[in-house]
Amino acid sequence: MKQTTLIDHKEAASIHILREVAAQFERPVLLFSGGKDSITLVRLAQKAFYPAKIPFPLLHIDTGHNFPETIAFRDQLVEELGLTLIVRQVQDAIDQGLVKEEKGRYASRNSLQTVTLLAAIEEFKFDACIGGARRDEEKARAKERVFSVRDDFGQWDEKNQRPELFDMLNGRIDQGQNVRAFPISDWTELDVWEYIRRENIQIPSIYFAHQREVFFRDGLVWTANEHVYREPHEQVESHWVRFRTVGDMTCTAAVLSEAKTLDEVVAEIRSSTLSERGARIDDKRSEAAMETRKKAGYF
Amino acid sequence: MQEVKKLITIATAGSVDDGKSTLIGRLLYETNSLPTDKLEAIERSSKQKGYDYLDFSLATDGLIAEREQGITIDVAHIYFNTERTNYIIADTPGHVEYTRNMVTGASKAQVAIILIDARKGVLEQTYRHFFISNLLQMRHVIVAINKMDLVGYEEEVFERIRGEMEELVAKSDFRPEQVHYLPVSALYGDNITVRSERMPWYPGNALLPHLEVLEEEELQGSGSEARFPVQYVIRPKTASHPDFRGLAGTVYGGRFTVGQEIVVLPSLKTSRIMAIHQYTDQVETAEAGMAPVLVLADDIDVSRGDMIVPLHARPQSVKEVSATICQLNSQPLRVGQRLLLQHGVNRVHAKVTAIEGRIPTDFGSAEAAESLGLNEIGQVRFKLSKPIHVDAFSLNRHTGSFILIDEQGHDTLSVGFVQ
């Protein structure tokens, strides 16, 4: 008989959470970014409900500044698995004057996503949003419950979270509130990679080493592209890079790497002395950048 | 290949300013688990605050309000590995008003590290957290007497506090060998990963080596009978699976095997397990902790909240239950109150019929009480709208516990343990 491993137990716990979401809520949705964590969530959801289809749609909040590889991957995955995909554009919120585009060197649409997300939650009356956040990613996320209640404004009340005992999940909410559910809370970055390798899950090509036009700023490797502001003195060079985390181009820095296969990527992460989000430009804004965004309804 | 490693889940406990976050930060630092960028951030913040040491509590106190006040408000989950073990540590708050967050963190842990400030000795919160650790039946307790640097690394101080704790342990359900005493200085790294040269009088292992040699048997509870609360009914109604009807859930205790005779609660209908699916695979057995889909031989009515159990090893089905309650909300629990009781994935209506007594956290005898206030613990009797199927908490953590939910406000108000 096959011996069960730690990752088998984590997988089962995540499946349990996904089934609770489907059972306790009327209109759940899976927040899909095209990154490895949300791709892992899709595989877990397939497993949770097989041989039935995943009983909720995917929602992608598109900043318009995504890597084309991610978008192509997203569309192919949805097609192959016969999933329902809803896309809402940050550009629409900008056109309607709901949000203002940021200016300057660090301009990004990352925090603008919140407005579009909250509008989509209202439009479809979603009562549960499933996200791929993990507690090992960032210190505000380390404090997150598995079922995290958000008010009408999408706000996280970090000082007043519900107790969560054993694996009992209380998803009762008032109308207008919603729950953010995090099935892979207890996974580490390495768990996700080991799982992708074990399950042979396809991920976008930008996670593997490739040659790219980049420039260096603040010790980070930025993509040189029309969406990313660049000073005239910031020289574009071609380097072997890969992405360790994938947000949009304006908030995700690359890392110099020659890891072209999953085995090489896993080996690289094992030996890395930098944290995963060390290459997230959006987290570098301040000590509490993530918490501030979460309180405003960011996922 | 996936490495087969041991997993140890730990919760810290103890009073405010006992140095829980600092201890964890130190553990991360000494096991090289702090990435360079995080360590640099700690160095920056420590310098900015004018400290002449590294403030490792900054590694876990992640909320703005926590850093402002220098306290832990909510539980943070920390992950790190050694060669042979994966660790998950819940860093829980010491403040009395955040006890609910301590219980949240501790409910998922096997080991409690209870910190005591060597200068202050055993405090009210030490009693409360030790009592809760006892209630949750943690497998192992480490009493870490911290800040030994501030009492001159004196053996006498350590022995005095240890003596006080031993008296408490004697009144609890813990066997003496389940509790381990350790003098440490989290700030200076004494007895964290290596034995301190400043306390040669202490003969035992440092914290990490002590954890590393805990055996699997010391960490797992006694095995219970197999339980399968039905979470979700899977009916694809597709061309490839027109009549498929699978019961999804998690196995708690024991295992289920194809061909096994089972009974469904509460209907008492019997059947046999025809197949066990794990995604596209069909397997012969489903072990505790796995989340399979069961297919029964007979087409009987089963829905969410029902429980599948072995034919000859049924839990108790009760419509009235007396349980130890820990009140987690400022709204007190009163006789006559109506609530929702969630037992696993099953919810029933419940009414408080009697508060049989409030239990003091020093394990003294129960006192008469009209209600249970925030953080109070008591024995409470309930009448239920429908039966629930329970085991003693000591046999099965999942079928032996429940939560109480406010029907209007939806908050989780209390946790209950069935004896």
Side-chain angles (χ1 to χ4, degrees):
Chain A
M1 197 180 65
K2 192 181 131 233
Q3 203 190 346
T4 55
T5 60
L6 282 184
I7 202 72
D8 290 324
H9 282 271
K10 289 196 179 184
E11 179 191 58
S14 302
I15 286 173
H16 177 86
I17 295 163
L18 283 163
R19 288 171 180 161
E20 278 308 282
V21 175
Q24 292 197 29
F25 298 93
E26 279 176 34
R27 290 189 190 80
V29 68
L30 191 154
L31 302 177
F32 187 81
S33 70
K36 66 180 190 315
D37 299 310
S38 54
I39 293 167
T40 298
L41 276 185
V42 170
R43 169 58 58 91
L44 290 166
Q46 276 180 281
K47 290 197 171 195
F49 304 103
Y50 183 86
K53 274 193 184 178
I54 297 174
F56 35 74
L58 311 189
L59 171 65
H60 184 214
I61 303 299
D62 188 350
T63 61
H65 294 169
N66 280 289
F67 294 96
E69 294 91 336
T70 312
I71 300 295
F73 179 90
R74 174 197 78 189
D75 293 340
Q76 198 193 332
L77 182 80
V78 166
E79 169 84 37
E80 269 174 28
L81 301 183
L83 304 173
T84 312
L85 171 72
I86 300 164
V87 181
R88 285 294 174 271
Q89 305 284 350
V90 170
Q91 186 64 50
D92 292 342
I94 296 171
D95 293 344
Q96 290 161 25
L98 296 174
V99 290
K100 267 211 184 93
E101 190 102 65
E102 295 181 353
K103 291 196 176 68
R105 285 185 88 187
Y106 296 95
S108 168
R109 288 182 171 181
N110 181 266
S111 58
L112 308 186
Q113 286 182 90
T114 304
V115 174
T116 309
L117 171 63
L118 296 183
I121 289 172
E122 223 169 273
E123 178 186 351
F124 294 96
K125 299 193 166 50
F126 292 129
D127 49 6
C129 300
I130 305 161
R134 305 188 327 267
R135 287 172 179 153
D136 78 325
E137 276 181 88
E138 202 277 335
K139 52 188 185 262
R141 286 193 166 163
K143 302 265 165 178
E144 188 72 81
R145 295 285 191 266
V146 173
F147 272 14
S148 177
V149 181
R150 305 300 166 95
D151 66 12
D152 283 355
F153 302 95
Q155 293 187 87
W156 181 47
D157 184 1
E158 83 290 358
K159 284 197 223 172
N160 209 7
Q161 300 196 78
R162 276 182 193 170
E164 214 160 67
L165 285 305
F166 309 104
D167 63 355
M168 279 181 276
L169 296 166
N170 171 10
R172 283 179 61 95
I173 46 170
D174 281 321
Q175 206 167 13
Q177 289 183 319
N178 67 82
V179 161
R180 305 287 166 90
F182 302 110
I184 58 168
S185 277
D186 266 337
W187 294 45
T188 63
E189 181 189 18
L190 209 49
D191 288 333
V192 172
W193 281 108
E194 299 275 15
Y195 192 70
I196 286 170
R197 181 161 67 167
R198 181 182 98 165
E199 298 285 314
N200 201 8
I201 298 172
Q202 297 303 304
I203 50 173
S205 56
I206 56 173
Y207 278 110
F208 301 102
H210 55 281
Q211 275 200 307
R212 182 175 287 269
E213 304 283 291
V214 297
F215 66 96
F216 293 85
R217 179 196 294 163
D218 305 336
L220 296 175
V221 188
W222 297 58
T223 299
N225 180 287
E226 79 259 28
H227 299 309
V228 182
Y229 178 87
R230 196 171 74 241
E231 302 271 341
H233 67 87
E234 290 171 325
Q235 275 194 359
V236 176
E237 301 163 23
S238 182
H239 283 279
W240 280 96
V241 299
R242 63 175 208 91
F243 290 88
R244 193 165 163 189
T245 144
V246 171
D248 83 357
M249 291 184 210
T250 60
C251 72
T252 320
V255 288
L256 297 174
S257 167
E258 302 209 336
K260 295 190 197 72
T261 65
L262 265 178
D263 287 341
E264 287 168 1
V265 168
V266 171
E268 190 181 274
I269 291 165
R270 271 188 194 284
S271 62
S272 172
T273 60
L274 275 185
S275 70
E276 180 181 16
R277 294 191 75 93
R280 286 302 286 247
I281 296 152
D282 42 345
D283 286 355
K284 299 242 162 184
R285 292 191 168 191
S286 76
E287 268 248 60
M290 173 67 86
E291 182 183 348
T292 313
R293 276 178 293 156
K294 280 173 80 73
K295 282 189 191 164
Y298 184 75
F299 119 88
Chain B
M1 258 309 284
Q2 177 73 29
E3 290 168 56
V4 183
K5 273 193 177 184
K6 182 169 70 168
L7 173 71
I8 301 187
T9 52
I10 301 170
T12 60
S15 198
V16 187
D17 279 336
D18 280 345
K20 292 182 287 296
S21 303
T22 305
L23 179 89
I24 292 176
R26 189 84 215 183
L27 210 47
L28 293 176
Y29 175 65
E30 292 191 17
T31 53
N32 292 322
S33 312
L34 280 178
T36 316
D37 49 328
K38 285 192 183 164
L39 188 59
E40 281 168 1
I42 290 170
E43 285 168 352
R44 257 197 321 273
S45 299
S46 301
K47 206 181 235 175
Q48 206 176 357
K49 291 184 176 166
Y51 298 154
D52 57 358
Y53 53 86
L54 293 179
D55 182 0
F56 288 115
S57 70
L58 297 168
T60 63
D61 284 340
L63 300 173
I64 298 167
E66 291 180 326
R67 282 196 301 274
E68 268 172 16
Q69 301 173 45
I71 59 163
T72 305
I73 291 174
D74 210 331
V75 48
H77 297 82
I78 319 292
Y79 304 79
F80 76 99
N81 305 321
T82 58
E83 287 277 308
R84 36 182 307 195
T85 315
N86 283 7
Y87 291 93
I88 302 181
I89 304 190
D91 182 26
T92 75
H95 269 264
V96 114
E97 63 173 303
Y98 302 122
T99 303
R100 62 175 191 280
N101 298 332
M102 180 270 173
V103 180
T104 293
S107 77
K108 287 156 192 111
Q110 303 157 315
V111 177
I113 301 179
I114 299 183
L115 275 95
I116 297 177
D117 184 331
R119 296 168 305 170
K120 297 181 189 159
V122 181
L123 300 175
E124 197 200 328
Q125 272 301 78
T126 322
Y127 280 103
R128 182 173 282 114
H129 284 182
F130 181 73
F131 192 90
I132 291 170
S133 303
N134 182 63
L135 205 55
L136 287 165
Q137 296 182 11
M138 311 289 280
R139 313 311 313 168
H140 191 77
V141 176
I142 295 168
V143 178
I145 295 158
N146 189 24
K147 307 199 183 182
M148 288 301 291
D149 53 298
L150 296 178
V151 295
Y153 296 102
E154 292 265 353
E155 181 176 8
E156 206 181 298
V157 179
F158 170 74
E159 287 300 338
R160 195 186 58 217
I161 297 172
R162 175 196 173 118
E164 257 184 89
M165 281 305 291
E166 276 173 346
E167 276 176 43
L168 204 56
V169 171
K171 294 182 202 165
S172 74
D173 301 321
F174 289 117
R175 285 170 281 113
E177 65 269 23
Q178 281 180 286
V179 185
H180 181 74
Y181 305 87
L182 188 66
V184 300
S185 164
L187 194 61
Y188 295 105
D190 291 290
N191 280 338
I192 305 300
T193 57
V194 287
R195 268 181 71 171
S196 168
E197 288 170 11
R198 286 179 280 222
M199 290 179 275
W201 46 264
Y202 178 75
N205 270 335
L207 177 62
L208 189 71
H210 176 76
L211 291 168
E212 291 276 292
V213 297
L214 284 178
E215 295 298 328
E216 209 67 44
E217 304 85 77
E218 297 176 78
L219 296 170
Q220 302 304 331
S222 46
S224 109
E225 299 290 350
R227 305 288 181 241
F228 190 80
V230 176
Q231 223 189 336
Y232 197 84
V233 181
I234 293 177
R235 301 214 57 177
K237 294 182 188 159
T238 53
S240 53
H241 296 87
D243 302 316
F244 184 93
R245 187 157 175 279
L247 308 169
T250 298
V251 179
Y252 296 111
R255 62 163 65 94
F256 286 94
T257 313
V258 172
Q260 188 178 351
E261 292 187 30
I262 58 92
V263 57
V264 180
L265 303 174
S267 70
L268 296 178
K269 292 203 171 108
T270 58
S271 184
R272 215 162 28 78
I273 295 176
M274 195 166 76
I276 302 174
H277 293 258
Q278 272 182 334
Y279 191 35
T280 51
D281 293 339
Q282 287 206 32
V283 295
E284 277 301 304
T285 57
E287 302 281 329
M290 295 296 102
V293 173
L294 306 186
V295 179
L296 300 183
D298 306 279
D299 192 15
I300 51 178
D301 180 26
V302 186
S303 53
R304 175 174 163 86
D306 291 353
M307 195 186 287
I308 294 175
V309 300
L311 185 56
H312 299 295
R314 283 162 51 181
Q316 266 194 301
S317 294
V318 293
K319 258 195 96 170
E320 227 181 294
V321 65
S322 171
T324 309
I325 296 292
C326 179
Q327 187 63 7
L328 305 171
N329 197 282
S330 52
Q331 180 188 323
L333 194 69
R334 295 177 195 286
V335 175
Q337 196 175 343
R338 286 164 192 278
L339 306 128
L340 283 175
L341 183 150
Q342 180 170 340
H343 175 241
V345 300
N346 188 24
R347 283 193 196 131
V348 298
H349 292 275
K351 190 176 153 190
V352 180
T353 51
I355 294 184
E356 295 169 331
R358 183 191 295 133
I359 307 166
T361 52
D362 61 0
F363 298 93
S365 44
E367 311 151 353
E370 294 286 294
S371 65
L372 277 190
L374 178 66
N375 300 326
E376 289 185 338
I377 294 151
Q379 194 66 23
V380 181
R381 181 165 285 278
F382 301 89
K383 208 167 125 185
L384 312 176
S385 60
K386 283 180 193 156
I388 56 171
H389 317 290
V390 297
D391 293 291
F393 182 74
S394 57
L395 292 177
N396 193 317
R397 283 188 148 201
H398 299 274
T399 52
S401 63
F402 59 79
I403 55 174
L404 297 173
I405 300 172
D406 178 356
E407 217 168 338
Q408 275 85 46
H410 310 310
D411 247 340
T412 303
L413 304 177
S414 356
V415 55
F417 304 89
V418 181
Q419 272 85 32

